[in-house]
Amino acid sequence: MSRDRDSGRSSRLRAVLGGFLFFYLGFIVLVILANVLWLGRPGAGGGPSPWTFLWSRPDLRAGLWSSIRLSLVASTITSCLAIVLAVPSAYALSRFRFRGAAVIDTIIDLPIVVPPLLAGVALLIFFRQFPVGRFIEQHIVPVVYTRTGIVVAQFFVASAFSIRAVKAAFDGVNPRFEMVARSLGDGPFRAFRRVALPLARNGIVAGFVMTWARAMGEFGPIMMLAGATPGKTDVLSVSAFLNMSSGHVEASIAIVVLMIGLAAGALIVFKKLGGKGYLW
Amino acid sequence: MIAVRRLSLTLGEFVLRDIDLDVAEGEYFVLLGPTGAGKTVLLECLVGLHRPAAGTIRLDGADVTSAPPERRGIAYVPQDYCLFPNLTARDNIAYGLAGRNRPRAEIEARTGELADWLGVRPLLERRPLTLSGGEKQRIALARALAVRPRLLLLDEPLAAVDPSTRDEVCGELKKIQREGRTTVIHVCHNFEEALTVADRIGILRDGRLVQIGSPRDIFRRPRSAFVARFTGAANLLPGEWADGSARAGGFRFPAGGRKPGRGWIVFRPEDVEVRRGREGAEAPDDGEAEKAKRTGVVTAVSDRGPYLRIEIRTAEGLFVAAVSPRDERIGGLTEGENVEILLPFDRAAFIEDADDGEERSPRRSS
C-alpha cells in the first residue's frame, strides 16, 4: 500500500521536475527550429524562400564565404595562441600553492564575466590611450581596426576559457603520477612532458575546441577593437549584425543556423573528450 | 643506509614530530600505525614530495633533505600503485630506464628479467585498466625495481590485496628484499602483516615514532599502553611495582629486579589460560605462586578459526583470552559460564606509562 503511494508520489515528482526541464528544453529547440524553418519557408507572395534567395545573390554569398574564411582563420590562430599560453599557466595554477593564487584565479576569470562589448571598449582604451598599448600599436603591430585586432579581441576573452578548461584537465590528473615519475628519475619538466601532459591530453583538446567555439562566436570586443568593416573585419558574428542592419535578414539567419551547428559540434566533441571547467 | 634525524613537518592536519629513524642496508622495515598517524606523509617526505620543516634525511651519508625526488634513488609504490594508464605494462616497467635514455636492448632485458621474476610476462602488453589489483601491484613493483633503487618504499601494499593471497604477496615482498637485496620501508596498519614481513618495526602514533624494535621485541615488550593495545595485548591492569613485587588490582606477584614504578601490567590474550570453574567457588589468591587465579563469567565467545576469543568479566574488570579450540578444558564453553582464568606472571610486560593508550581522535586516512 504505502509502497504504491510512495511510487505514486515519486512519479508525480518526476512529472513535475520533468515539466520544468522540458519547458526550457522545448524553448531552446523551438527557437532553433524557428530559424531553420524560416530559411526554408516560401517567400512572401509565393516568391523564393530566403535560402533560395540567398543562393541567387552572388554578392551576399561571397560576403558570407569571406566571413566564414575570416572567422575560421582568426579563431584558429586565436585558439592556438590561447592554448600555448594556457597549458603552462593552467599547470602552474593546478600544481603550485602560492600566495595570491585566489587573486590570480579571479583576475583570470574577469574577461569571461565582464560584458564582452565593454571588454572591447576597455581594449580600445588600452591600445589608444595607454602608453604600453600605444607603443605596441605604433612600433610592433597595429591592432585597432585591423584584422590583428580580431585575434587580439578574441584572445583576450578566449584565453581565460582555455586556462579554465586546461586547469580542470590538470586537476583531474593525480599529482602522485608525476611524483612516481620523479622518483623513477624524471626531472620536473620531463615528468610534465611524459606524464601530466599525456594524461591531460583529452582535456586540453577539449579546452582547445571550446576556446575555438567561443572565439568563433565573439562579437562585442571585435566590434569595438577591430571595427565592423565589411570585407575586412566582418567575422561571422559581425557579419550577421551588419546584414541585419542592412536588411539582409536571410544572410543573418544563415549565419545563425551555421553557428548553432558549430556550437553543437563543439559541445559534442568537448563532452566526448570528457572536458570540464567551462564557464560562459 | 637511510638516517632520519629529528624530522618534523606539518601538512594540513598531519603532523610529524621529531622522527628519528635508521634503516640498515638490506633491511625490511615496517612503519606501523593507525590511520591518520602520518605514515604516508612520512613516506612521502622520504621520497621528496614534502620538504620537512626541520630535521635531516641522509642516504648513505649524503644529506638529501632538500634534494628533489629524482636525485634520491628512492623508488616508491603508492597505495593505489599509480600505474601510468596511458602506457602498457611493459612501458610502465621501462619508464625509469627509458627516461634515462638507456639503450633499448638494456631496457628490454631488464623489463623481461623483472617480468619473469615477478611472473607478469603474460601481462606486458596490457594496459593498467585491464589488470587486477594484484597484477597492478606486481607491475608497480617491477616499475620501481627496474631502476635499481637504493631504497624501496611501499605504501600499504596489502591494502588492495585479497586476504587469501596476502601470505603469497608477503612472500613475494620478502623475496624482493632477500633475493633482490633491496632495502624496504613498508607502511601498514596491521600488526599481523608487519609480523610476517618485518625485520624491524617502527610504531607511529600521532606523528611520533613511539617504539622501534624487532617484531618479537614489540610483541613481548611494548613500551606504552598504546603499543600494547595496538599489537593486540588486550589485558592491561593498572598497577605499581617496587622491591621485587608488583600489585595490580587484587593481584600480587613477583616483579623481578625492576625499578620501582607505576603504570600498566600487560598480559597478551594468548597467555591467559581459561579453565572451567566450579560454581561460585572463589579461588584462593596464592600471591607468590606462578600464576594469578581469578574467577569470572564468560561474556562472549567468538570463533576466530585458529583460536577462540573469550571475554571474561571478573572483579578486576574484563579479560580477553585467546585459546585453542582444541583445548579440552574449555570445550563447548558458552556465555554465562563460570570460569577460572590464570595469568602467568613470567609473561607479564611492565609498562611505565600514564596514558591508557586508547585512540581518542580517529582522523582521516592518509
Side-chain angles (χ1 to χ4, degrees):
Chain A
M1 275 293 282
S2 92
R3 261 190 74 122
D4 282 354
R5 199 162 58 218
D6 278 356
S7 76
R9 268 191 204 151
S10 115
S11 69
R12 222 173 311 146
L13 175 72
R14 259 188 256 178
V16 170
L17 297 182
F20 278 94
L21 183 61
F22 278 91
F23 168 75
Y24 185 49
L25 196 70
F27 187 26
I28 298 174
V29 170
L30 289 179
V31 167
I32 295 172
L33 212 60
N35 283 270
V36 176
L37 293 179
W38 187 87
L39 272 183
R41 73 166 193 181
S49 71
W51 181 247
T52 325
F53 173 76
L54 189 62
W55 279 101
S56 71
R57 286 277 303 265
D59 57 327
L60 290 179
R61 241 165 55 207
L64 220 49
W65 279 123
S66 95
S67 283
I68 290 174
R69 263 201 311 276
L70 182 61
S71 273
L72 286 177
V73 171
S75 301
T76 306
I77 293 173
T78 300
S79 316
C80 291
L81 293 175
I83 214 80
V84 166
L85 172 91
V87 168
S89 314
Y91 189 64
L93 281 174
S94 168
R95 286 297 185 267
F96 301 117
R97 299 275 154 270
F98 46 89
R99 274 152 63 104
V103 177
I104 291 173
D105 208 54
T106 308
I107 293 176
I108 285 176
D109 282 341
L110 268 183
I112 307 178
V113 181
V114 163
L117 189 79
L118 303 185
V121 175
L123 281 169
L124 196 58
I125 295 301
F126 172 77
F127 283 107
R128 273 290 151 91
Q129 304 294 333
F130 193 65
V132 180
R134 291 235 304 265
F135 180 85
I136 296 171
E137 181 83 357
Q138 280 159 20
H139 297 103
I140 301 175
V141 57
V143 171
V144 178
Y145 304 139
T146 66
R147 287 185 162 175
T148 310
I150 301 172
V151 172
V152 171
Q154 287 177 337
F155 177 83
F156 184 69
V157 179
S159 295
F161 284 89
S162 297
I163 293 177
R164 246 326 101 236
V166 176
K167 177 173 182 290
F170 283 127
D171 285 345
V173 176
N174 186 345
R176 224 177 273 279
F177 282 120
E178 288 132 273
M179 219 45 228
V180 168
R182 293 192 62 190
S183 78
L184 294 170
D186 277 1
F189 282 102
R190 212 190 266 259
F192 169 72
R193 185 170 56 76
R194 295 179 75 199
V195 177
L197 206 52
L199 291 183
R201 193 192 60 198
N202 278 2
I204 294 172
V205 174
F208 178 86
V209 171
M210 224 48 204
T211 306
W212 184 82
R214 170 75 194 201
M216 283 293 284
E218 208 54 77
F219 170 67
I222 297 174
M223 275 280 284
M224 284 297 133
L225 189 65
T229 318
K232 189 183 175 197
T233 62
D234 56 339
V235 290
L236 280 170
S237 53
V238 173
S239 169
F241 173 76
L242 290 176
N243 278 313
M244 279 304 273
S245 322
S246 58
H248 295 301
V249 183
E250 55 286 314
S252 294
I253 306 305
I255 293 172
V256 167
V257 173
L258 175 66
M259 291 290 242
I260 289 171
L262 284 176
L267 274 170
I268 289 167
V269 173
F270 183 82
K271 292 191 173 178
K272 269 255 181 312
L273 290 170
K276 283 193 265 331
Y278 61 97
L279 167 73
W280 287 114
Chain B
M1 211 262 111
I2 188 162
V4 178
R5 289 289 168 271
R6 302 191 63 79
L7 185 96
S8 296
L9 168 77
T10 305
L11 193 82
E13 55 190 300
F14 291 105
V15 180
L16 297 177
R17 297 186 190 93
D18 287 335
I19 301 283
D20 280 319
L21 177 65
D22 287 274
V23 178
E25 187 86 52
E27 192 175 23
Y28 200 118
F29 189 89
V30 171
L31 263 176
L32 183 67
T35 299
K39 305 183 295 283
T40 296
V41 175
L42 177 52
L43 214 58
E44 289 175 345
C45 235
L46 300 182
V47 191
L49 183 55
H50 314 298
R51 188 154 304 178
T56 56
I57 303 170
R58 286 174 178 279
L59 258 183
D60 295 328
D63 188 336
V64 297
T65 316
S66 50
E70 60 270 23
R71 301 256 176 75
R72 297 190 182 198
I74 299 180
Y76 168 49
V77 180
Q79 188 173 353
D80 50 3
Y81 314 129
C82 278
L83 290 175
F84 304 120
N86 54 328
L87 302 179
T88 59
R90 178 191 296 284
D91 290 341
N92 265 285
I93 298 175
Y95 186 94
L97 294 175
R100 284 156 209 223
N101 299 317
R102 290 297 171 75
R104 177 181 293 210
E106 183 197 327
I107 297 178
E108 275 175 19
R110 181 76 177 140
T111 308
E113 178 196 333
L114 282 165
D116 288 337
W117 195 45
L118 295 172
V120 292
R121 191 175 271 285
L123 310 175
L124 285 180
E125 307 313 323
R126 306 238 313 253
R127 301 242 170 204
L129 264 179
T130 70
L131 300 175
S132 74
E135 290 168 342
K136 279 186 200 157
Q137 182 178 50
R138 282 155 193 262
I139 303 295
L141 283 168
R143 178 180 65 180
L145 293 169
V147 296
R148 300 182 195 279
R150 291 198 275 183
L151 175 62
L152 177 64
L153 304 185
L154 308 172
D155 192 356
E156 298 272 6
L158 297 176
V161 172
D162 201 65
S164 64
T165 56
R166 210 160 257 248
D167 284 342
E168 191 189 326
V169 176
C170 283
E172 201 84 9
L173 295 176
K174 281 305 268 188
K175 179 174 103 170
I176 287 171
Q177 176 220 5
R178 292 223 180 94
E179 291 175 24
R181 285 192 286 282
T182 317
T183 312
V184 179
I185 298 181
H186 167 148
V187 155
C188 76
H189 60 251
N190 180 318
F191 185 58
E192 262 177 65
E193 177 183 330
L195 283 180
T196 320
V197 290
D199 295 327
R200 278 194 313 143
I201 295 175
I203 295 193
L204 203 61
R205 182 196 190 194
D206 290 340
R208 283 181 204 278
L209 266 171
V210 292
Q211 188 170 355
I212 299 179
S214 70
R216 259 306 97 186
D217 206 34
I218 287 184
F219 196 70
R220 278 289 155 210
R221 282 188 291 283
R223 282 214 302 263
S224 61
F226 170 77
V227 173
R229 284 187 202 279
F230 193 71
T231 56
N235 305 302
L236 281 82
L237 309 174
E240 51 191 305
W241 48 91
D243 305 328
S245 97
R247 307 163 57 96
F251 300 107
R252 265 183 102 78
F253 51 89
R258 209 166 290 279
K259 273 188 284 178
R262 59 187 306 146
W264 305 92
I265 295 165
V266 178
F267 293 94
R268 298 197 58 87
E270 55 272 31
D271 292 333
V272 177
E273 288 174 38
V274 182
R275 296 200 184 139
R276 279 220 158 77
R278 298 175 303 272
E279 180 93 20
E282 184 67 30
D285 185 4
D286 39 4
E288 301 298 318
E290 294 290 291
K291 295 167 181 172
K293 292 196 188 97
R294 269 294 175 274
T295 53
V297 180
V298 175
T299 54
V301 178
S302 72
D303 192 340
R304 301 291 170 94
Y307 67 95
L308 294 177
R309 185 179 189 277
I310 302 175
E311 289 179 17
I312 303 117
R313 174 150 317 275
T314 73
E316 267 79 30
L318 196 68
F319 282 83
V320 178
V323 300
S324 162
R326 300 220 197 112
D327 189 335
E328 287 172 3
R329 286 169 299 190
I330 52 118
L333 196 68
T334 52
E335 283 172 35
E337 273 188 66
N338 288 305
V339 290
E340 191 174 55
I341 55 169
L342 295 97
L343 305 172
F345 297 147
D346 58 335
R347 295 302 183 93
F350 293 75
I351 298 171
E352 274 201 65
D353 184 4
D355 178 33
D356 66 3
E358 298 273 12
E359 275 298 285
R360 282 198 189 76
S361 53
R363 283 185 288 180
R364 184 169 70 82
S365 162
S366 50

